[in-house]
Amino acid sequence: METKIILNADVSRGKIDKNIYGQFAEHLGRCIYEGLWVGEDSPIPNTNGIRNDVLEALKDLEIPVLRWPGGCFADEYHWKDGVGPREERKRMVNTHWGGVVENNHFGTHEFMKLCELLETEPYINGNVGSGTVQEMSEWVEYMTFDGESPMANWRKENGQEEPWKVKYFGVGNENWGCGGNMRPQYYADLYRRFQTYVRNYGDNRIFKIAGGANVDDYNWTEVLMREAAPFMDGLSLHYYVHPGGFWDKGDAVRFNDKEWQISMQKAYHIEELIQKHSTIMDKYDPEKRIAMIVDEWGAWYDVEPGTNPGFLYQQNTVRDAVIAGISLNIFNNHNDRIKMANIAQMVNVIQSMVLTEEDKMLLTPTYHVFRMYKVHQDAERVALDIETKMLEIDGKEYPQVNGSASKQANGTINISLTNADKDNQTTAEFILRGTPFNQVTGEIITSEKMNDHNTFEQPDKVKPVKFTDFEQQGQTLKVTLPPMSVVVLSVKSDH
């Protein structure tokens, strides 16, 4: 057999936090405006200004947590400009993303309504780069204080009598770059100061997330953990797959064989980053109290030809489905430290779940992977060992197959597998130990060509279908994974 897989269903590796399947929505391009928000007066069917078709599609993903308002936008966002009567809200220039005018019609109340409709936890990112301690403190008070205060009274005047529950709060974003070009020592001190005033009101308990490293900046992690570990609950990590590098990322659809291979190798690279940043965190936090929060990740290419370069709108092929599958398997397998991840971004930006064009909408291959993988949310990870051949590009190796496995409360075991080889299938001997089984079902997403993607004319070109390419022999499965595929197998017993 080319690949050998052993699953020990009775060996638990702890819970896979559902928040690994989180999303990210920034005021960037057409993510918020048109993608999510059309306003109550729009001819596009909507609920409180939020478009219904996108809402219904996203609800099917069972999104656990949603990060907002950025991203780089967070550190130039002044929340008070986004509350109160919409016609009176200040307009601002979105200097990071296209230089367009932001009318602030989608603010705190609208975001909280979106979270309510999606039944998801809000993850608010506060402004350290251009904001003040008072501004951040008052935002928390506005959202969560149940009592008599200027901010609570203002919230009530604006139509929200009861405070909201806000569990996750990020103190700044990418403060090593767009969030202020800070040194880690300076940001660590600022973080300690700002987080002091991110207060818990009533029974609302905030999980405070410090702005972490860019890719392999291990010194940033070292300084933040050394100087501020007692004051944080989570530390973020950002990593994107750029096939051609940051300044010439490559095309989302018109790419060649080598770009496919580089994309796969770079998708696997996050494993090394997680391991090395975790080692530093372990030194200061051996009990793993502090979570690693991968709150920006995904495949980032050049924008689609003819679109605003500041809007970061890109298509989404079967390549992106495989990148998503590889990444989520890696996050699942580091569930001892990773407690949240937020793919960038939810609609119309970078590696999106959904693309829209006026009143039209389509689901991307990445969307389908998230829907297939949602069975892992809050499930018990079980031991999965894979032996597979190594692929190579430019002297760098990466596995052909990766995977993760978990057990749901009803006893069903779900195994997610990817084949990163664009040309070759692999036949896997799959040994299942520690559980009897007599029912196996599967779902697969793949395509004939690596550039295949969904368009508004052909919205279902790349979508999941039933997977049946396996044979059961006692406690062994013989599974054939086609090239460039993502598969989820569900195994259970009817006894």
Side-chain angles (χ1 to χ4, degrees):
M1 291 291 175
E2 298 163 334
T3 299
K4 187 171 184 179
I5 304 174
I6 299 176
L7 183 143
N8 288 292
D10 53 351
V11 179
S12 173
R13 302 297 192 203
K15 187 175 77 170
I16 296 173
D17 199 304
K18 65 181 179 180
N19 290 331
I20 284 173
Y21 293 85
Q23 299 282 336
F24 173 31
E26 183 170 6
H27 288 244
L28 197 176
R30 296 186 297 114
C31 181
I32 300 293
Y33 298 102
E34 188 198 310
L36 290 164
W37 174 261
V38 292
E40 291 98 336
D41 299 330
S42 173
I44 298 174
N46 65 85
T47 300
N48 299 113
I50 298 162
R51 58 185 293 169
N52 290 340
D53 54 355
V54 173
L55 189 64
E56 289 307 309
L58 294 174
K59 283 177 72 172
D60 196 37
L61 296 182
E62 299 176 16
I63 294 168
V65 62
L66 177 56
R67 181 178 182 236
W68 171 86
C72 291
F73 185 82
D75 278 294
E76 65 177 1
Y77 181 63
H78 300 285
W79 71 270
K80 293 180 181 180
D81 297 341
V83 299
R86 291 196 195 101
E87 64 276 8
E88 297 177 12
R89 297 182 189 179
K90 288 183 182 178
R91 294 162 69 86
M92 63 177 283
V93 179
N94 191 334
T95 56
H96 285 294
W97 306 121
V100 295
V101 174
E102 158 76 48
N103 64 17
N104 276 309
H105 282 193
F106 189 91
T108 302
H109 289 253
E110 291 77 16
F111 173 68
M112 290 300 192
K113 173 55 70 173
L114 172 63
C115 290
E116 177 187 321
L117 293 170
L118 288 174
E119 299 179 23
T120 188
E121 290 274 4
Y123 167 13
I124 302 286
N125 215 136
N127 181 345
V128 170
S130 69
T132 65
V133 171
Q134 180 178 352
E135 181 181 19
M136 187 178 289
S137 176
E138 289 182 338
W139 199 5
V140 174
E141 179 187 326
Y142 183 92
M143 292 185 291
T144 65
F145 183 58
D146 184 14
E148 177 78 19
S149 80
M151 293 301 108
N153 292 346
W154 192 23
R155 181 194 70 236
K156 294 171 185 176
E157 290 171 17
N158 290 329
Q160 179 66 28
E161 184 68 27
E162 298 299 319
W164 292 290
K165 294 293 184 185
V166 177
K167 185 172 182 180
Y168 302 103
F169 197 95
V171 181
N173 167 78
E174 293 190 357
N175 298 98
W176 40 261
C178 64
N181 290 303
M182 301 174 191
R183 298 178 306 122
Q185 295 86 346
Y186 181 70
Y187 172 70
D189 284 342
L190 272 188
Y191 173 80
R192 289 169 60 120
R193 179 182 173 217
F194 272 68
Q195 67 79 35
T196 303
Y197 302 94
V198 177
R199 300 193 185 282
N200 294 321
Y201 292 106
D203 60 357
N204 189 75
R205 290 293 174 268
I206 292 179
F207 186 99
K208 300 175 186 179
I209 299 169
N214 180 32
V215 190
D216 58 356
D217 185 352
Y218 302 115
N219 180 59
W220 186 280
T221 299
E222 178 81 32
V223 173
L224 262 291
M225 290 298 297
R226 185 184 71 224
E227 302 296 339
F231 306 99
M232 68 175 79
D233 300 300
L235 182 64
S236 71
L237 173 65
H238 291 179
Y239 176 69
Y240 290 96
V241 172
H242 309 304
F246 185 80
W247 300 110
D248 186 15
K249 300 178 181 70
D251 198 288
V253 175
R254 292 156 285 274
F255 56 90
N256 59 33
D257 289 3
K258 183 172 183 180
E259 288 172 291
W260 169 283
Q261 293 170 287
I262 292 171
S263 299
M264 295 301 115
Q265 183 272 318
K266 288 191 171 184
Y268 271 108
H269 180 60
I270 199 169
E271 176 105 48
E272 176 183 323
L273 299 176
I274 292 166
Q275 290 172 343
K276 289 185 175 180
H277 285 291
S278 292
T279 298
I280 298 168
M281 294 177 75
D282 287 348
K283 183 165 71 169
Y284 299 96
D285 176 36
E287 292 81 26
K288 293 182 170 23
R289 180 189 66 82
I290 299 170
M292 182 182 289
I293 309 291
V294 190
D295 59 15
E296 288 188 31
W297 70 274
W300 186 352
Y301 312 116
D302 296 333
V303 301
E304 291 303 302
T307 66
N308 187 323
F311 281 12
L312 306 189
Y313 177 79
Q314 66 187 42
Q315 253 294 355
N316 200 293
T317 67
V318 68
R319 171 175 65 164
D320 300 293
V322 179
I323 289 171
I326 289 169
S327 303
L328 290 168
N329 285 333
I330 291 171
F331 298 157
N332 288 346
N333 291 333
H334 287 277
N335 62 319
D336 60 336
R337 182 63 84 176
I338 297 179
K339 302 301 181 184
M340 188 194 297
N342 309 78
I343 191 168
Q345 294 185 12
M346 199 156 69
V347 187
N348 289 334
V349 172
I350 314 183
Q351 191 172 350
S352 306
M353 304 296 110
V354 172
L355 301 179
T356 67
E357 188 176 275
E358 297 178 340
D359 62 345
K360 299 191 288 287
M361 181 201 76
L362 65 80
L363 308 178
T364 68
T366 299
Y367 173 96
H368 294 305
V369 171
F370 267 75
R371 189 196 56 74
M372 291 164 64
Y373 274 49
K374 70 181 181 180
V375 291
H376 289 306
Q377 291 189 24
D378 274 351
E380 176 190 1
R381 183 165 80 89
V382 294
L384 186 75
D385 296 299
I386 299 175
E387 291 181 19
T388 188
K389 73 176 181 180
M390 300 301 288
L391 307 177
E392 184 266 335
I393 181 70
D394 293 339
K396 298 176 181 177
E397 289 190 330
Y398 59 97
Q400 181 181 7
V401 174
N402 91 332
S404 60
S406 66
K407 183 190 295 184
Q408 292 178 290
N410 65 6
T412 300
I413 295 171
N414 296 291
I415 307 107
S416 49
L417 301 167
T418 66
N419 181 1
D421 193 325
K422 66 165 286 294
D423 297 312
N424 300 297
Q425 68 178 31
T426 182
T427 302
E429 181 186 55
F430 204 132
I431 300 170
L432 291 93
R433 299 171 177 164
T435 183
F437 73 97
N438 55 14
Q439 293 183 42
V440 183
T441 57
E443 196 171 16
I444 182 172
I445 185 164
T446 185
S447 202
E448 292 181 6
K449 299 176 182 176
M450 65 181 179
N451 313 90
D452 282 346
H453 58 284
N454 297 331
T455 65
F456 295 103
E457 294 71 37
Q458 290 184 290
D460 294 320
K461 188 174 181 65
V462 185
K463 67 176 184 178
V465 295
K466 188 176 181 180
F467 179 69
T468 57
D469 205 351
F470 54 83
E471 299 174 15
Q472 181 179 351
Q473 298 173 336
Q475 288 294 108
T476 301
L477 288 175
K478 181 181 176 183
V479 180
T480 301
L481 298 176
M484 51 187 184
S485 62
V486 181
V487 170
V488 174
L489 291 170
S490 295
V491 177
K492 58 185 175 181
S493 171
D494 59 8
H495 299 308

